[in-house]
Amino acid sequence: MLVDFFVEHKTISFEGCMAQIFLLHSFVGSEMVLLVAMAYDRFIAICKPLHYSTIMNQRLCIIFVSISWAVGILHSVSHLAFTVDLPFCGPNEVDSFFCDLPLVIELACMDTYEMEIMTLTNSGLISLSCFLALIISYMIILISVRHRSSSGSSKALSTLTAHITVVILFFGPCIYFYIWPFSRLSVDKFLSVFYTVCTPLLNPIIYSLRNEDVKSAMWKLRNHHVNSWKN
């Protein structure tokens, strides 16, 4: 991406475009399932803390990771299986900074209405199912700790803050794109950059701020600078 900033004529081969679509949808599909797995992990840690090490063992973690990659790859392959054989004989300019699948489909020299519906259904189903699973898990966690104590509810909410923040940043633009999947507005490019660049960069920062060692190191660094400035 950085190299592309300095190139006057920004081009990509058809094979490179298909590879970009495959990787993008594989990673996005895998992350959706991983977020659900993380929600289940938080559910066990908060609602069944004494059984956490027994339930969330290495075998279950490997199963979760394997399922997430399998779903992501199958989701991506199901898109490409119909896209690679489309007849592209007309315009070859994608009005985005990456090969966005709906925009690539619109370049085909045929009626793409059925393809658009298929793409919307495929991506919408995995997005909606994962989002609903996350919402249900949060509701169960908060309802269960609410009956225990007020301090328990605040502690659980504090534990989920980082996860909820990432889910909002991840699914917010995703939901917007699937509400208007094939009508492009000026804000779409900004959201595309935010979705594919800013959100992945923010993820490690958000999760790190929940780590006690990281917070302790940040406070020490802050105190060091404050003391050196006073001296």
Side-chain angles (χ1 to χ4, degrees):
M1 185 180 67
L2 292 174
V3 171
D4 202 47
F5 285 154
F6 299 98
V7 178
E8 183 178 356
H9 300 289
K10 298 171 174 55
T11 59
I12 185 172
S13 64
F14 177 78
E15 292 78 11
C17 185
M18 293 298 107
Q20 198 176 80
I21 292 174
F22 172 79
L23 292 174
L24 178 66
H25 283 267
S26 295
F27 291 144
V28 169
S30 298
E31 185 171 356
M32 287 182 182
V33 181
L34 279 177
L35 287 173
V36 176
M38 290 172 63
Y40 180 76
D41 174 81
R42 292 300 85 203
F43 167 75
I44 299 299
I46 295 172
C47 299
K48 299 182 179 180
L50 298 179
H51 299 87
Y52 179 80
S53 58
T54 304
I55 298 175
M56 292 302 297
N57 51 39
Q58 185 179 10
R59 179 174 173 273
L60 184 60
C61 292
I62 293 174
I63 291 174
F64 277 148
V65 173
S66 301
I67 291 175
S68 68
W69 278 111
V71 170
I73 292 174
L74 287 174
H75 167 66
S76 185
V77 169
S78 64
H79 280 310
L80 287 183
F82 301 99
T83 306
V84 293
D85 292 329
L86 290 176
F88 295 101
C89 54
N92 59 356
E93 292 186 5
V94 178
D95 189 22
S96 183
F97 77 102
F98 70 99
C99 283
D100 194 2
L101 181 60
L103 293 179
V104 173
I105 290 177
E106 288 181 349
L107 298 179
C109 302
M110 59 176 288
D111 184 9
T112 58
Y113 177 76
E114 292 183 359
M115 279 289 301
E116 293 173 1
I117 296 300
M118 193 181 302
T119 300
L120 176 61
T121 303
N122 187 344
S123 299
L125 280 176
I126 184 174
S127 304
L128 184 61
S129 58
C130 290
F131 186 69
L132 289 177
L134 290 168
I135 295 299
I136 292 171
S137 66
Y138 296 148
M139 291 177 63
I140 294 174
I141 291 172
L142 295 177
I143 290 173
S144 62
V145 299
R146 184 170 174 266
H147 295 295
R148 298 179 184 179
S149 63
S150 58
S151 60
S153 180
S154 60
K155 184 178 180 181
L157 186 59
S158 175
T159 304
L160 291 173
T161 299
H163 195 202
I164 293 174
T165 304
V166 171
V167 168
I168 292 173
L169 291 175
F170 184 83
F171 281 95
C174 187
I175 291 172
Y176 169 83
F177 285 136
Y178 290 121
I179 291 176
W180 297 284
F182 295 94
S183 59
R184 294 293 160 175
L185 305 175
S186 58
V187 73
D188 288 6
K189 290 182 181 179
F190 169 78
L191 286 176
S192 296
V193 174
F194 181 83
Y195 188 67
T196 56
V197 179
C198 298
T199 299
L201 290 176
L202 288 173
N203 281 352
I205 299 175
I206 294 170
Y207 286 125
S208 297
L209 292 177
R210 298 300 310 162
N211 188 295
E212 294 297 330
D213 293 333
V214 173
K215 289 195 288 187
S216 176
M218 291 176 64
W219 277 110
K220 289 179 180 179
L221 183 63
R222 176 186 174 278
N223 293 333
H224 174 74
H225 283 293
V226 170
N227 293 333
S228 61
W229 179 75
K230 289 181 179 178
N231 296 331

